[in-house]
Amino acid sequence: MILALTQEPSAFWYFARASGFVSLVLLAATVCLGLAVTSRLRSPSWPSFVTEDLHRYLGTVLYLFLSIHVVTLLLDPFSKFSLADALVPFISTYRTFWMGLGVVAAELTLALGLSVHARGLIGYRAWRLMHYGTWVIFPMAALHGLVTGTDTLSWWGVGLYAGSVAAVLFMVVMRLGTGPAASGVMRSA
């Protein structure tokens, strides 16, 4: 087992790549559900609490896979990323700008997740304003993966990126076209 973890590429490298893709797909799904919750796209036959709960659940699972992505990159002997590379934007020597976008996107995602638990302290308006950060987080995360990912040009990589971006763009167009839903949306969390 130790030999498998130290050979190039190591198992950590495969876990880092896979968890990066899963993180992007989960982020896209979470953003799409969030846009569905805040728009007038609801169907009377689909209960809104299901969409809201699924939005929260996928957000939680996203943090798990994002953590796996970062930790496995740190543990991978081939990538040689330091803790500072993973925590401080734009200092990595590997594709500095694009890695920095990933770090910023991850940190903003973490801040957004923490804001859910601090909503009682910061108030609904501040929490809602922070949620507009997803309009920036998703494009940054997608660009990070597109430029730094080693599987970006594979047929399945192109499919995952295209599907994720298309789904989010579709929901953004639908959200902008329908306007916001009633002001009571997502207040119960």
Side-chain angles (χ1 to χ4, degrees), residues 93-183:
T93 57
Y94 177 74
R95 299 181 182 170
T96 304
F97 178 76
W98 305 107
M99 287 296 291
L101 280 183
V103 172
V104 171
E107 290 174 354
L108 288 174
T109 300
L110 179 62
L112 187 60
L114 293 174
S115 76
V116 171
H117 302 291
R119 190 167 64 179
L121 297 171
I122 64 175
Y124 178 78
R125 285 186 191 269
W127 172 82
R128 181 81 173 154
L129 185 62
M130 287 182 74
H131 260 69
Y132 284 112
T134 58
W135 295 83
V136 179
I137 292 170
F138 181 78
M140 287 191 323
L143 285 170
H144 160 76
L146 277 167
V147 178
T148 63
T150 56
D151 299 306
T152 298
L153 297 178
S154 66
W155 66 268
W156 57 269
V158 169
L160 285 172
Y161 283 112
S164 297
V165 170
V168 170
L169 285 176
F170 174 78
M171 290 305 296
V172 165
V173 168
M174 295 303 292
R175 168 67 170 83
L176 293 174
T178 62
S183 61

Coordinates of all heavy atoms in Angstrom, one line a residue, residues 93-183:
T93 N 3.6 28.3 -7.2 CA 4.4 28.4 -8.4 C 3.8 27.7 -9.6 O 4.3 27.9 -10.7 CB 5.8 27.9 -8.1 OG1 5.7 26.5 -7.7 CG2 6.5 28.7 -7.1
Y94 N 2.8 26.8 -9.4 CA 2.2 26.1 -10.4 C 0.9 26.9 -10.9 O 0.0 27.1 -10.2 CB 1.7 24.7 -10.0 CG 1.0 23.9 -11.0 CD1 1.7 23.3 -12.1 CD2 -0.4 23.7 -10.9 CE1 1.0 22.6 -13.0 CE2 -1.1 23.0 -11.9 CZ -0.4 22.4 -12.9 OH -1.1 21.7 -13.9
R95 N 1.0 27.4 -12.1 CA -0.1 28.2 -12.7 C -0.7 29.2 -11.7 O -1.9 29.1 -11.3 CB -1.2 27.3 -13.3 CG -0.6 26.4 -14.4 CD -1.6 25.5 -15.0 NE -0.9 24.7 -16.0 CZ -1.4 23.7 -16.6 NH1 -2.6 23.3 -16.4 NH2 -0.7 23.0 -17.5
T96 N 0.1 30.0 -11.2 CA -0.2 30.9 -10.1 C -1.5 31.6 -10.1 O -2.3 31.5 -9.1 CB 0.9 32.0 -10.0 OG1 2.2 31.4 -10.0 CG2 0.7 32.9 -8.8
F97 N -1.9 32.2 -11.2 CA -3.2 32.9 -11.2 C -4.4 31.9 -11.1 O -5.3 32.1 -10.3 CB -3.3 33.7 -12.5 CG -4.7 34.5 -12.6 CD1 -4.9 35.6 -11.8 CD2 -5.7 34.0 -13.4 CE1 -6.1 36.2 -11.8 CE2 -6.9 34.6 -13.4 CZ -7.1 35.8 -12.7
W98 N -4.3 30.8 -11.8 CA -5.4 29.9 -11.9 C -5.6 29.1 -10.6 O -6.7 28.8 -10.1 CB -5.3 29.0 -13.1 CG -5.2 29.8 -14.3 CD1 -4.0 30.0 -15.1 CD2 -6.2 30.6 -14.9 NE1 -4.3 30.9 -16.1 CE2 -5.6 31.3 -16.0 CE3 -7.5 30.9 -14.7 CZ2 -6.3 32.1 -16.9 CZ3 -8.2 31.7 -15.5 CH2 -7.6 32.3 -16.6
M99 N -4.4 28.8 -10.0 CA -4.5 28.1 -8.7 C -5.0 29.1 -7.6 O -5.8 28.7 -6.8 CB -3.1 27.6 -8.2 CG -2.6 26.4 -9.0 SD -3.6 25.0 -8.7 CE -3.2 24.6 -7.0
G100 N -4.6 30.4 -7.7 CA -5.1 31.4 -6.8 C -6.6 31.5 -6.9 O -7.3 31.7 -5.9
L101 N -7.2 31.4 -8.2 CA -8.6 31.5 -8.3 C -9.3 30.3 -7.6 O -10.3 30.5 -6.9 CB -9.0 31.4 -9.8 CG -8.9 32.7 -10.6 CD1 -9.5 32.4 -12.0 CD2 -9.7 33.8 -10.0
G102 N -8.7 29.2 -7.6 CA -9.2 28.0 -6.9 C -9.2 28.2 -5.4 O -10.2 27.9 -4.7
V103 N -8.1 28.8 -4.9 CA -8.0 29.0 -3.5 C -9.0 30.1 -3.0 O -9.7 29.9 -2.0 CB -6.6 29.5 -3.1 CG1 -6.5 30.0 -1.7 CG2 -5.5 28.4 -3.4
V104 N -9.2 31.1 -3.8 CA -10.2 32.2 -3.5 C -11.6 31.6 -3.5 O -12.4 31.8 -2.6 CB -10.0 33.4 -4.4 CG1 -11.2 34.4 -4.2 CG2 -8.7 34.1 -4.1
A105 N -11.9 30.8 -4.5 CA -13.2 30.2 -4.6 C -13.5 29.3 -3.5 O -14.6 29.3 -2.9 CB -13.3 29.4 -6.0
A106 N -12.5 28.5 -3.1 CA -12.7 27.6 -1.9 C -12.9 28.4 -0.6 O -13.8 28.0 0.2 CB -11.5 26.7 -1.8
E107 N -12.1 29.4 -0.4 CA -12.3 30.2 0.8 C -13.6 31.0 0.8 O -14.2 31.1 1.9 CB -11.1 31.1 1.0 CG -9.8 30.4 1.3 CD -8.5 31.2 1.3 OE1 -8.6 32.4 1.0 OE2 -7.5 30.6 1.7
L108 N -14.0 31.5 -0.3 CA -15.3 32.1 -0.4 C -16.4 31.1 -0.1 O -17.4 31.5 0.5 CB -15.5 32.9 -1.7 CG -14.7 34.1 -1.9 CD1 -14.9 34.7 -3.3 CD2 -15.1 35.2 -0.9
T109 N -16.3 29.9 -0.7 CA -17.3 28.9 -0.4 C -17.4 28.5 1.1 O -18.5 28.4 1.6 CB -16.9 27.6 -1.3 OG1 -16.9 28.0 -2.6 CG2 -17.9 26.5 -1.0
L110 N -16.2 28.5 1.7 CA -16.2 28.2 3.1 C -16.9 29.3 3.9 O -17.7 29.1 4.8 CB -14.8 28.0 3.6 CG -14.6 27.7 5.1 CD1 -15.3 26.5 5.5 CD2 -13.1 27.7 5.5
A111 N -16.5 30.6 3.6 CA -17.2 31.7 4.2 C -18.7 31.7 4.0 O -19.4 32.0 5.0 CB -16.6 33.0 3.7
L112 N -19.1 31.4 2.8 CA -20.5 31.3 2.6 C -21.2 30.2 3.4 O -22.3 30.5 4.0 CB -20.8 31.1 1.1 CG -22.2 31.1 0.6 CD1 -22.8 32.5 0.8 CD2 -22.2 30.8 -0.9
G113 N -20.6 29.1 3.5 CA -21.1 28.0 4.4 C -21.1 28.4 5.8 O -22.1 28.1 6.5
L114 N -20.1 29.1 6.3 CA -20.1 29.5 7.7 C -21.2 30.6 7.9 O -21.7 30.7 9.0 CB -18.7 30.0 8.1 CG -17.6 29.0 8.1 CD1 -16.3 29.6 8.4 CD2 -17.9 27.9 9.2
S115 N -21.5 31.4 6.9 CA -22.5 32.4 7.1 C -23.9 31.9 7.4 O -24.7 32.5 8.0 CB -22.5 33.3 5.8 OG -23.2 32.7 4.8
V116 N -24.1 30.7 6.9 CA -25.4 30.0 7.2 C -25.6 29.8 8.7 O -26.6 30.1 9.3 CB -25.5 28.7 6.5 CG1 -26.7 27.9 6.9 CG2 -25.5 28.9 5.0
H117 N -24.5 29.5 9.4 CA -24.5 29.3 10.8 C -24.5 30.6 11.6 O -24.9 30.6 12.8 CB -23.4 28.3 11.3 CG -23.4 27.0 10.6 ND1 -24.4 26.1 10.8 CD2 -22.7 26.5 9.6 CE1 -24.2 25.0 10.1 NE2 -23.2 25.2 9.3
A118 N -24.0 31.6 11.0 CA -23.9 32.9 11.6 C -25.1 33.8 11.3 O -25.0 35.0 11.6 CB -22.6 33.6 11.3
R119 N -26.0 33.3 10.5 CA -27.1 34.2 10.0 C -27.8 34.9 11.1 O -28.2 36.1 11.0 CB -28.1 33.4 9.2 CG -29.0 34.3 8.4 CD -29.8 33.6 7.4 NE -30.6 32.5 7.9 CZ -31.4 31.7 7.2 NH1 -31.4 31.9 5.9 NH2 -32.1 30.8 7.7
G120 N -28.0 34.3 12.3 CA -28.7 34.9 13.4 C -27.9 36.1 13.9 O -28.4 37.1 14.4
L121 N -26.6 36.0 13.8 CA -25.7 37.1 14.2 C -25.5 38.2 13.2 O -25.5 39.4 13.5 CB -24.3 36.6 14.6 CG -24.3 35.6 15.7 CD1 -22.9 35.0 15.8 CD2 -24.6 36.3 17.0
I122 N -25.4 37.9 11.9 CA -25.2 38.9 10.9 C -26.4 39.4 10.3 O -26.4 40.4 9.6 CB -24.2 38.3 9.8 CG1 -24.9 37.1 9.0 CG2 -22.9 37.9 10.4 CD1 -24.1 36.6 7.9
G123 N -27.6 38.7 10.5 CA -28.8 39.2 9.9 C -29.1 38.6 8.5 O -28.2 38.2 7.8
Y124 N -30.4 38.6 8.2 CA -30.8 38.0 6.9 C -30.2 38.8 5.7 O -29.8 38.2 4.7 CB -32.3 38.0 6.8 CG -32.8 37.4 5.5 CD1 -32.8 36.0 5.3 CD2 -33.2 38.3 4.5 CE1 -33.2 35.5 4.0 CE2 -33.7 37.8 3.3 CZ -33.6 36.4 3.1 OH -34.1 35.9 1.9
R125 N -30.2 40.1 5.8 CA -29.7 40.9 4.6 C -28.3 40.6 4.4 O -27.9 40.5 3.2 CB -30.0 42.4 4.9 CG -31.4 42.8 4.7 CD -31.5 44.3 4.8 NE -32.8 44.8 5.0 CZ -33.6 45.1 3.9 NH1 -33.1 45.0 2.7 NH2 -34.8 45.5 4.1
A126 N -27.4 40.6 5.4 CA -26.0 40.3 5.2 C -25.8 38.9 4.7 O -25.0 38.7 3.8 CB -25.2 40.5 6.5
W127 N -26.5 38.0 5.2 CA -26.5 36.6 4.7 C -26.8 36.5 3.3 O -26.2 35.9 2.5 CB -27.3 35.7 5.6 CG -27.5 34.3 5.1 CD1 -26.6 33.3 5.3 CD2 -28.5 33.8 4.3 NE1 -27.1 32.2 4.7 CE2 -28.3 32.4 4.1 CE3 -29.7 34.3 3.8 CZ2 -29.1 31.6 3.4 CZ3 -30.6 33.5 3.1 CH2 -30.3 32.2 2.9
R128 N -27.9 37.2 2.9 CA -28.4 37.2 1.5 C -27.4 37.8 0.6 O -27.1 37.3 -0.5 CB -29.7 37.9 1.5 CG -30.3 37.9 0.1 CD -31.1 36.7 -0.1 NE -31.8 36.8 -1.4 CZ -32.1 35.8 -2.1 NH1 -31.8 34.6 -1.7 NH2 -32.7 36.0 -3.3
L129 N -26.8 38.9 1.0 CA -25.8 39.6 0.3 C -24.6 38.7 0.0 O -24.0 38.6 -1.1 CB -25.3 40.9 1.0 CG -24.4 41.8 0.2 CD1 -25.0 42.3 -1.1 CD2 -24.0 43.0 1.1
M130 N -24.2 37.9 1.1 CA -23.1 37.0 0.9 C -23.4 35.9 -0.1 O -22.5 35.4 -0.8 CB -22.7 36.4 2.3 CG -22.0 37.4 3.2 SD -21.6 36.6 4.8 CE -20.2 35.6 4.3
H131 N -24.6 35.5 -0.1 CA -25.0 34.5 -1.1 C -24.9 34.9 -2.5 O -24.7 34.1 -3.4 CB -26.5 34.0 -0.8 CG -26.5 32.7 -0.1 ND1 -26.1 32.6 1.2 CD2 -26.9 31.5 -0.5 CE1 -26.3 31.4 1.6 NE2 -26.7 30.7 0.6
Y132 N -24.9 36.2 -2.8 CA -24.6 36.7 -4.1 C -23.1 36.4 -4.6 O -22.8 36.5 -5.7 CB -24.9 38.2 -4.3 CG -26.4 38.4 -4.4 CD1 -27.1 39.1 -3.3 CD2 -27.1 38.0 -5.5 CE1 -28.4 39.3 -3.4 CE2 -28.5 38.2 -5.5 CZ -29.1 38.9 -4.5 OH -30.5 39.1 -4.6
G133 N -22.3 36.0 -3.6 CA -21.0 35.6 -3.9 C -20.9 34.4 -4.8 O -19.9 34.2 -5.5
T134 N -21.9 33.6 -4.8 CA -21.9 32.4 -5.7 C -21.9 32.8 -7.2 O -21.4 32.1 -8.0 CB -23.2 31.5 -5.5 OG1 -24.3 32.3 -5.7 CG2 -23.1 30.9 -4.1
W135 N -22.3 34.1 -7.5 CA -22.2 34.5 -8.9 C -20.7 34.7 -9.3 O -20.4 34.7 -10.5 CB -22.9 35.9 -9.0 CG -24.4 35.8 -8.8 CD1 -25.0 35.9 -7.6 CD2 -25.4 35.7 -9.8 NE1 -26.4 35.8 -7.8 CE2 -26.6 35.7 -9.1 CE3 -25.4 35.6 -11.2 CZ2 -27.8 35.6 -9.8 CZ3 -26.6 35.5 -11.8 CH2 -27.8 35.5 -11.1
V136 N -19.8 34.8 -8.3 CA -18.4 34.9 -8.6 C -17.7 33.5 -8.3 O -16.8 33.1 -9.0 CB -17.8 36.0 -7.7 CG1 -16.3 36.1 -7.9 CG2 -18.4 37.3 -7.9
I137 N -18.1 32.8 -7.3 CA -17.5 31.6 -6.9 C -17.5 30.5 -8.0 O -16.5 29.9 -8.3 CB -18.1 31.0 -5.6 CG1 -17.8 31.9 -4.4 CG2 -17.6 29.6 -5.3 CD1 -18.6 31.6 -3.1
F138 N -18.7 30.3 -8.6 CA -18.8 29.2 -9.6 C -17.9 29.5 -10.8 O -17.1 28.6 -11.2 CB -20.2 29.0 -10.0 CG -20.3 27.9 -11.0 CD1 -20.2 26.5 -10.6 CD2 -20.4 28.1 -12.4 CE1 -20.2 25.5 -11.6 CE2 -20.4 27.1 -13.3 CZ -20.3 25.8 -12.9
P139 N -17.9 30.7 -11.4 CA -17.0 30.9 -12.5 C -15.5 30.8 -12.1 O -14.7 30.2 -12.9 CB -17.3 32.3 -13.0 CG -18.6 32.6 -12.4 CD -18.8 31.8 -11.2
M140 N -15.1 31.2 -10.9 CA -13.7 31.1 -10.5 C -13.3 29.6 -10.4 O -12.3 29.2 -10.8 CB -13.5 31.8 -9.2 CG -13.5 33.3 -9.3 SD -12.9 34.3 -7.9 CE -13.5 33.4 -6.5
A141 N -14.2 28.8 -9.7 CA -13.9 27.4 -9.6 C -13.9 26.7 -10.9 O -13.0 25.9 -11.1 CB -15.0 26.8 -8.7
A142 N -14.8 27.0 -11.8 CA -14.8 26.4 -13.1 C -13.5 26.7 -13.9 O -12.9 25.9 -14.5 CB -16.0 26.8 -13.9
L143 N -13.1 28.0 -13.9 CA -11.9 28.4 -14.6 C -10.6 27.8 -13.9 O -9.7 27.4 -14.7 CB -11.7 30.0 -14.5 CG -12.7 30.7 -15.5 CD1 -12.6 32.2 -15.2 CD2 -12.3 30.4 -16.9
H144 N -10.6 27.7 -12.6 CA -9.5 27.0 -11.9 C -9.4 25.6 -12.4 O -8.3 25.2 -12.8 CB -9.8 27.0 -10.4 CG -9.0 26.0 -9.7 ND1 -7.7 26.1 -9.4 CD2 -9.4 24.8 -9.1 CE1 -7.3 25.0 -8.7 NE2 -8.3 24.2 -8.5
G145 N -10.5 24.9 -12.5 CA -10.4 23.5 -12.9 C -10.1 23.4 -14.4 O -9.3 22.5 -14.8
L146 N -10.6 24.2 -15.2 CA -10.4 24.2 -16.7 C -8.9 24.4 -17.0 O -8.4 23.7 -17.9 CB -11.2 25.2 -17.4 CG -12.6 24.9 -17.7 CD1 -13.4 26.1 -18.2 CD2 -12.7 23.8 -18.8
V147 N -8.3 25.3 -16.3 CA -6.9 25.7 -16.6 C -5.9 24.8 -15.9 O -4.9 24.4 -16.5 CB -6.6 27.2 -16.4 CG1 -5.2 27.5 -16.7 CG2 -7.5 28.0 -17.2
T148 N -6.2 24.4 -14.7 CA -5.2 23.6 -13.9 C -5.4 22.1 -14.0 O -4.5 21.4 -13.7 CB -5.1 24.1 -12.4 OG1 -6.4 23.8 -11.8 CG2 -4.8 25.5 -12.3
G149 N -6.6 21.7 -14.3 CA -6.9 20.3 -14.3 C -6.2 19.6 -15.4 O -6.0 20.0 -16.5
T150 N -5.7 18.4 -15.1 CA -5.0 17.6 -16.0 C -5.9 16.8 -17.0 O -5.5 16.2 -18.0 CB -4.0 16.6 -15.3 OG1 -4.8 15.8 -14.4 CG2 -2.9 17.4 -14.6
D151 N -7.2 16.7 -16.6 CA -8.1 15.9 -17.4 C -9.1 16.8 -18.2 O -10.1 16.3 -18.7 CB -8.9 15.0 -16.5 CG -8.0 14.0 -15.8 OD1 -7.3 13.3 -16.5 OD2 -8.1 13.9 -14.6
T152 N -8.8 18.1 -18.2 CA -9.7 19.0 -18.8 C -10.1 18.7 -20.3 O -11.3 18.8 -20.6 CB -9.1 20.4 -18.8 OG1 -8.9 20.8 -17.4 CG2 -10.0 21.5 -19.4
L153 N -9.2 18.2 -21.0 CA -9.5 18.0 -22.4 C -9.9 16.5 -22.8 O -10.1 16.2 -23.9 CB -8.2 18.3 -23.3 CG -7.8 19.8 -23.2 CD1 -6.6 20.1 -24.1 CD2 -9.0 20.7 -23.7
S154 N -10.0 15.7 -21.7 CA -10.6 14.4 -22.0 C -12.0 14.5 -22.3 O -12.7 15.5 -22.0 CB -10.4 13.5 -20.7 OG -11.2 14.0 -19.6
W155 N -12.6 13.5 -23.0 CA -14.0 13.6 -23.4 C -14.9 13.7 -22.2 O -15.9 14.5 -22.2 CB -14.4 12.4 -24.3 CG -14.4 11.1 -23.6 CD1 -13.3 10.2 -23.5 CD2 -15.4 10.5 -22.8 NE1 -13.6 9.1 -22.7 CE2 -14.9 9.3 -22.3 CE3 -16.7 10.9 -22.5 CZ2 -15.7 8.4 -21.5 CZ3 -17.5 10.0 -21.7 CH2 -17.0 8.8 -21.2
W156 N -14.6 13.0 -21.1 CA -15.5 13.0 -20.0 C -15.3 14.3 -19.2 O -16.2 14.9 -18.6 CB -15.3 11.8 -19.1 CG -13.9 11.6 -18.6 CD1 -12.9 10.8 -19.3 CD2 -13.3 12.1 -17.5 NE1 -11.8 10.9 -18.6 CE2 -11.9 11.6 -17.5 CE3 -13.7 12.9 -16.5 CZ2 -11.0 12.0 -16.5 CZ3 -12.8 13.3 -15.4 CH2 -11.5 12.8 -15.5
G157 N -14.0 14.9 -19.2 CA -13.8 16.1 -18.5 C -14.5 17.3 -19.2 O -15.1 18.1 -18.6
V158 N -14.4 17.3 -20.5 CA -15.2 18.3 -21.3 C -16.7 18.2 -21.0 O -17.4 19.2 -20.8 CB -14.9 18.1 -22.8 CG1 -15.8 19.0 -23.7 CG2 -13.5 18.5 -23.1
G159 N -17.2 17.0 -21.0 CA -18.6 16.7 -20.7 C -19.0 17.3 -19.3 O -20.0 17.9 -19.1
L160 N -18.1 17.0 -18.3 CA -18.5 17.5 -16.9 C -18.4 19.0 -16.8 O -19.3 19.6 -16.2 CB -17.5 16.8 -15.9 CG -17.8 15.4 -15.6 CD1 -16.7 14.8 -14.7 CD2 -19.1 15.2 -14.9
Y161 N -17.4 19.6 -17.4 CA -17.3 21.1 -17.4 C -18.5 21.7 -18.2 O -19.2 22.6 -17.7 CB -16.0 21.6 -18.0 CG -14.8 21.4 -17.1 CD1 -13.8 20.5 -17.3 CD2 -14.8 22.2 -15.9 CE1 -12.7 20.4 -16.5 CE2 -13.7 22.1 -15.1 CZ -12.7 21.2 -15.3 OH -11.6 21.1 -14.5
A162 N -18.7 21.2 -19.4 CA -19.8 21.7 -20.2 C -21.2 21.5 -19.6 O -22.0 22.5 -19.6 CB -19.8 21.0 -21.6
G163 N -21.4 20.4 -19.0 CA -22.7 20.1 -18.3 C -22.9 21.0 -17.1 O -24.0 21.6 -16.9
S164 N -21.8 21.2 -16.3 CA -21.9 22.0 -15.1 C -22.1 23.5 -15.5 O -23.0 24.1 -14.9 CB -20.6 21.9 -14.3 OG -20.5 20.6 -13.8
V165 N -21.4 24.0 -16.4 CA -21.5 25.4 -16.8 C -22.8 25.6 -17.5 O -23.5 26.6 -17.2 CB -20.3 25.8 -17.7 CG1 -20.6 27.1 -18.4 CG2 -19.0 25.8 -17.0
A166 N -23.3 24.7 -18.4 CA -24.5 24.8 -19.0 C -25.7 24.8 -18.0 O -26.6 25.6 -18.2 CB -24.7 23.7 -20.1
A167 N -25.6 24.0 -17.1 CA -26.7 23.9 -16.1 C -26.8 25.2 -15.3 O -27.9 25.8 -15.1 CB -26.5 22.7 -15.1
V168 N -25.6 25.7 -14.8 CA -25.6 27.0 -14.1 C -26.1 28.1 -15.0 O -26.9 29.0 -14.5 CB -24.3 27.2 -13.4 CG1 -24.2 28.6 -12.9 CG2 -24.0 26.2 -12.4
L169 N -25.6 28.2 -16.2 CA -26.0 29.3 -17.1 C -27.5 29.2 -17.3 O -28.2 30.3 -17.4 CB -25.3 29.2 -18.4 CG -23.8 29.7 -18.4 CD1 -23.1 29.5 -19.7 CD2 -23.7 31.2 -17.9
F170 N -28.1 28.0 -17.5 CA -29.5 27.9 -17.8 C -30.3 28.4 -16.5 O -31.2 29.2 -16.7 CB -29.8 26.4 -18.0 CG -31.3 26.2 -18.1 CD1 -32.0 26.5 -19.2 CD2 -32.0 25.6 -17.0 CE1 -33.4 26.3 -19.3 CE2 -33.4 25.4 -17.1 CZ -34.1 25.7 -18.2
M171 N -29.8 28.0 -15.4 CA -30.5 28.5 -14.2 C -30.4 30.0 -13.9 O -31.3 30.7 -13.4 CB -30.1 27.7 -12.9 CG -30.5 26.3 -12.9 SD -32.3 26.1 -13.1 CE -32.9 26.8 -11.6
V172 N -29.2 30.6 -14.3 CA -29.0 32.0 -14.2 C -30.0 32.7 -15.1 O -30.7 33.7 -14.7 CB -27.6 32.4 -14.5 CG1 -27.4 33.9 -14.7 CG2 -26.7 32.0 -13.3
V173 N -30.1 32.2 -16.3 CA -31.0 32.9 -17.3 C -32.5 32.7 -16.8 O -33.3 33.7 -16.8 CB -30.9 32.2 -18.7 CG1 -32.0 32.6 -19.6 CG2 -29.5 32.6 -19.3
M174 N -32.8 31.6 -16.3 CA -34.2 31.4 -15.7 C -34.4 32.3 -14.5 O -35.5 32.9 -14.4 CB -34.4 29.9 -15.4 CG -34.3 28.9 -16.5 SD -35.5 29.3 -17.8 CE -37.1 29.0 -17.0
R175 N -33.4 32.4 -13.7 CA -33.6 33.2 -12.5 C -33.7 34.7 -12.9 O -34.5 35.4 -12.3 CB -32.3 33.0 -11.6 CG -32.2 34.0 -10.4 CD -33.3 33.9 -9.4 NE -33.0 34.6 -8.2 CZ -33.3 35.9 -8.1 NH1 -33.8 36.6 -9.1 NH2 -33.0 36.5 -6.9
L176 N -32.9 35.2 -13.8 CA -33.0 36.6 -14.2 C -34.3 36.8 -15.0 O -34.8 37.9 -14.9 CB -31.8 36.9 -15.1 CG -30.4 36.9 -14.4 CD1 -29.3 37.2 -15.4 CD2 -30.4 38.0 -13.3
G177 N -34.8 35.8 -15.7 CA -36.0 36.0 -16.4 C -37.3 35.9 -15.6 O -38.3 36.5 -15.9
T178 N -37.2 35.3 -14.4 CA -38.4 35.1 -13.6 C -38.4 36.1 -12.4 O -39.5 36.4 -11.9 CB -38.5 33.7 -13.0 OG1 -37.4 33.5 -12.2 CG2 -38.7 32.7 -14.1
G179 N -37.3 36.6 -12.1 CA -37.2 37.5 -10.9 C -37.2 36.8 -9.6 O -37.4 35.5 -9.6
P180 N -37.0 37.4 -8.5 CA -36.9 36.8 -7.2 C -38.3 36.2 -6.8 O -39.3 36.7 -7.2 CB -36.4 37.9 -6.3 CG -36.9 39.1 -6.9 CD -36.8 38.9 -8.4
A181 N -38.2 35.2 -6.0 CA -39.4 34.6 -5.4 C -39.8 35.4 -4.2 O -39.2 36.5 -3.9 CB -39.1 33.2 -5.0
A182 N -40.8 35.0 -3.6 CA -41.3 35.7 -2.4 C -40.2 35.9 -1.4 O -39.3 35.1 -1.3 CB -42.5 34.9 -1.8
S183 N -40.3 36.9 -0.6 CA -39.2 37.3 0.3 C -39.0 36.3 1.4 O -37.9 36.3 2.1 CB -39.4 38.7 0.9 OG -40.6 38.7 1.6

